[in-house]
């Protein structure tokens, strides 16, 4: 009798359990509030034969953070990145990517400016 109660339509019972858990999470964690932080732009995938110069050094990032949690370490882990892989000499307009270590708790919603100008020049030869 007890086995029939637990195993009959177990898919629906499992789905109801999951929905109840997610509803509990939403109620307990609260709403997301916007926070604006300013970060320095990091250049990744640099070629040692070139010198890279950015038009701007810093960007403003709008984050959505869960109101009840104190996430100072998580907010500090947010990075602004420009990928210069495979670029030759010239001027480029590249997109600024934002990385967050905890995407569910700290979600980057907006970057200002979204695109940035990058100047790529050949590295001057080293003198003796």
């Amino acid at each position: 009798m007890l086995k029939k109660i637990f195993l009959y339509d177990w898919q629906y019972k499992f789905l109801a359990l999951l929905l109840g858990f997610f509803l509990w999470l939403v109620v307990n964690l609260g709403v997301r509030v916007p926070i604006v932080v300013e970060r320095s732009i990091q250049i990744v995938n640099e070629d040692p034969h070139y010198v890279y110069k950015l038009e701007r050094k810093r960007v403003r990032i709008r984050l959505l953070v869960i109101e009840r949690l104190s996430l100072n370490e998580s907010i500090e882990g947010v990075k602004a990145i420009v990928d210069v892989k495979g670029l030759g000499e010239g001027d480029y307009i590249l997109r600024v990517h934002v990385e967050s270590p905890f995407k569910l708790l700290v979600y980057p919603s907006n970057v200002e400016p979204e695109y940035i100008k990058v100047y790529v020049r050949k590295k001057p030869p080293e003198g003796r």
Side-chain angles (χ1 to χ4, degrees), residues 48-66:
H49 300 99
Y50 293 102
V51 175
Y52 301 93
K53 183 179 177 192
L54 301 174
E55 182 181 40
R56 294 182 63 172
K57 302 281 186 202
R58 300 178 69 80
V59 292
R60 288 181 186 230
I61 303 169
R62 183 173 183 249
L63 302 171
L64 295 176
V65 180
I66 294 176

Side-chain angles (χ1 to χ4, degrees), residues 97-112:
H97 298 280
V98 178
E99 288 185 0
S100 173
F102 305 105
K103 292 186 193 274
L104 294 176
L105 303 177
V106 177
Y107 178 74
S109 66
N110 190 13
V111 182
E112 204 174 291

Side-chain angles (χ1 to χ4, degrees), residues 3-63:
K3 185 176 180 182
K4 184 179 179 184
I5 291 173
F6 285 111
L7 295 180
Y8 182 73
D9 288 335
W10 68 271
Q11 301 93 345
Y12 299 120
K13 293 174 185 171
F14 183 69
L15 181 64
L17 184 67
L18 285 178
L19 288 174
F21 177 71
F22 287 123
L23 182 62
W24 176 82
L25 276 178
V26 168
V27 169
N28 279 328
L29 291 180
V31 296
R32 292 181 182 227
V33 294
I35 295 177
V36 177
V37 294
E38 197 168 301
R39 294 285 181 257
S40 295
I41 302 172
Q42 299 176 0
I43 301 173
V44 294
N45 297 322
E46 293 184 55
D47 187 343
H49 300 99
Y50 293 102
V51 175
Y52 301 93
K53 183 179 177 192
L54 301 174
E55 182 181 40
R56 294 182 63 172
K57 302 281 186 202
R58 300 178 69 80
V59 292
R60 288 181 186 230
I61 303 169
R62 183 173 183 249
L63 302 171

